[in-house]
């Protein structure tokens, strides 16, 4: 079985205090800091860019899991690699060059991850699964925190877990959107092992919430 990882999203953190927010996550036992980059084009919202990642890097040992919700992410890979990203996730819907873009991430010495939106089939990434360290299955439509988990996306998690086995591959399966103490168990049962949670973690006691999620996946 794959190691279970918790990846709180700093999209729901206090943007004026990223240093202390990262320290809170580290103290709570989070594995990754999930960093949601939005360009106001691929998704309607604008969040933050590589400069913020670079500024945060010296203040945290957490794995920086950068989720690029940007059009043509291939133009931004080197920038995020230099800024200190450990994992870069790019959407298959955001580029006509997904194969080359994933190669570019690995060439930059970063773990490559491909993302599919709720309406995008697993088939669309079937031919690049050998190029990735992680597949991110969106469990909400990207753009905003605090939306409700879409249980129908679990069919795709199951499909991916089966494909991974069939092809003898080793990628992690991450889920993102509407993850809380209830939906996390559904996602784990379907075969996910990396769990992003934004509003659930930050709209309460961070320590307690990370621990509750940890118990839900380890219990
Ligand atoms: C959505 C982002 C998510 C978001 C999750 O576009 O990719 O990472 O922060 O937030 P919650 O956990 O509140 O759904
Ligand atoms: Zn995300």
């Amino acid at each position: 079985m794959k190691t279970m990882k918790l990846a709180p999203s700093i999209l729901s953190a206090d943007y004026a205090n990223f240093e202390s927010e990262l320290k809170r996550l580290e103290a709570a036992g989070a594995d990754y800091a999930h960093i949601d980059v939005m360009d106001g084009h691929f998704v309607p919202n604008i969040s933050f860019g590589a400069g913020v990642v670079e500024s945060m890097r010296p203040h945290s040992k957490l794995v920086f899991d950068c989720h690029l919700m940007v059009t043509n992410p291939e133009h931004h890979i080197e920038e995020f690699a230099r800024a200190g990203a450990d994992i870069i996730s790019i959407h298959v819907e955001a580029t006509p060059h997904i194969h080359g873009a994933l190669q570019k991430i690995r060439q930059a010495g970063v773990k490559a991850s491909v993302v599919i939106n709720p309406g995008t089939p697993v088939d669309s990434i079937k031919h690049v699964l050998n190029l990735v360290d992680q597949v991110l299955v969106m469990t909400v439509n990207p753009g905003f925190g605090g939306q409700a988990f879409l249980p129908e996306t679990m069919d795709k998690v199951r499909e991916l877990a089966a494909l991974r086995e069939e092809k003898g591959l080793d990628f992690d399966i991450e889920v993102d959107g509407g993850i809380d103490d209830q939906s996390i168990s559904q996602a784990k049962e379907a075969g996910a092992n990396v769990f992003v949670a934004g509003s659930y973690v930050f709209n309460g006691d961070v320590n307690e919430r990370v621990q509750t999620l940890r118990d839900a996946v380890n219990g």
Side-chain angles (χ1 to χ4, degrees):
M1 190 149 85
K2 290 233 145 215
T3 317
M4 300 292 145
K5 310 258 188 207
L6 297 180
S9 166
I10 60 161
L11 189 67
S12 293
D14 175 0
Y15 293 10
N17 293 294
F18 278 137
E19 180 179 353
S20 55
E21 294 291 65
L22 289 166
K23 296 243 148 67
R24 283 214 287 170
L25 293 180
E26 226 168 300
D31 300 292
Y32 298 173
H34 183 82
I35 302 172
D36 285 307
V37 176
M38 302 180 179
D39 67 349
H41 185 263
F42 180 67
V43 292
N45 206 3
I46 297 178
S47 58
F48 29 74
V52 172
V53 176
E54 193 181 351
S55 299
M56 292 192 300
R57 187 68 282 181
H59 302 292
S60 179
K61 289 191 177 57
L62 289 169
V63 169
F64 279 7
D65 179 31
C66 295
H67 177 193
L68 304 191
M69 284 161 276
V70 307
T71 304
N72 295 124
E74 63 273 22
H75 299 158
H76 303 281
I77 288 162
E78 278 96 359
E79 194 187 351
F80 279 90
R82 270 198 308 273
D86 297 295
I87 303 168
I88 296 179
S89 292
I90 59 173
H91 278 256
V92 69
E93 306 89 355
T95 172
H97 307 293
I98 193 67
H99 186 284
L102 290 166
Q103 285 181 318
K104 207 166 165 181
I105 297 175
R106 281 190 164 172
Q107 279 158 13
V110 176
K111 287 190 171 164
S113 166
V114 67
V115 195
I116 49 175
N117 277 336
T120 305
V122 167
D123 255 7
S124 66
I125 54 167
K126 212 167 147 184
H127 297 286
V128 294
L129 289 176
N130 59 320
L131 298 176
V132 301
D133 301 286
Q134 175 177 278
V135 175
L136 167 49
V137 176
M138 289 306 298
T139 44
V140 298
N141 284 294
F144 302 93
Q147 304 180 79
F149 178 76
L150 298 169
E152 60 268 36
T153 57
M154 292 301 96
D155 285 346
K156 293 194 288 179
V157 172
R158 281 186 279 272
E159 196 180 335
L160 275 164
L163 258 179
R164 178 174 62 193
E165 169 107 21
E166 183 192 315
K167 291 176 177 268
L169 296 169
D170 191 36
F171 53 82
D172 286 326
I173 302 177
E174 182 175 52
V175 284
D176 182 8
I179 297 295
D180 60 18
D181 54 339
Q182 304 298 311
S183 54
I184 198 168
S185 306
Q186 282 184 61
K188 183 199 168 182
E189 264 162 48
N193 71 299
V194 184
F195 308 90
V196 177
S199 51
Y200 178 75
V201 167
F202 284 98
N203 294 352
D205 182 292
V206 168
N207 245 312
E208 240 172 69
R209 296 250 162 139
V210 170
Q211 196 48 54
T212 306
L213 293 178
R214 181 73 68 195
D215 292 345
V217 287
N218 288 344

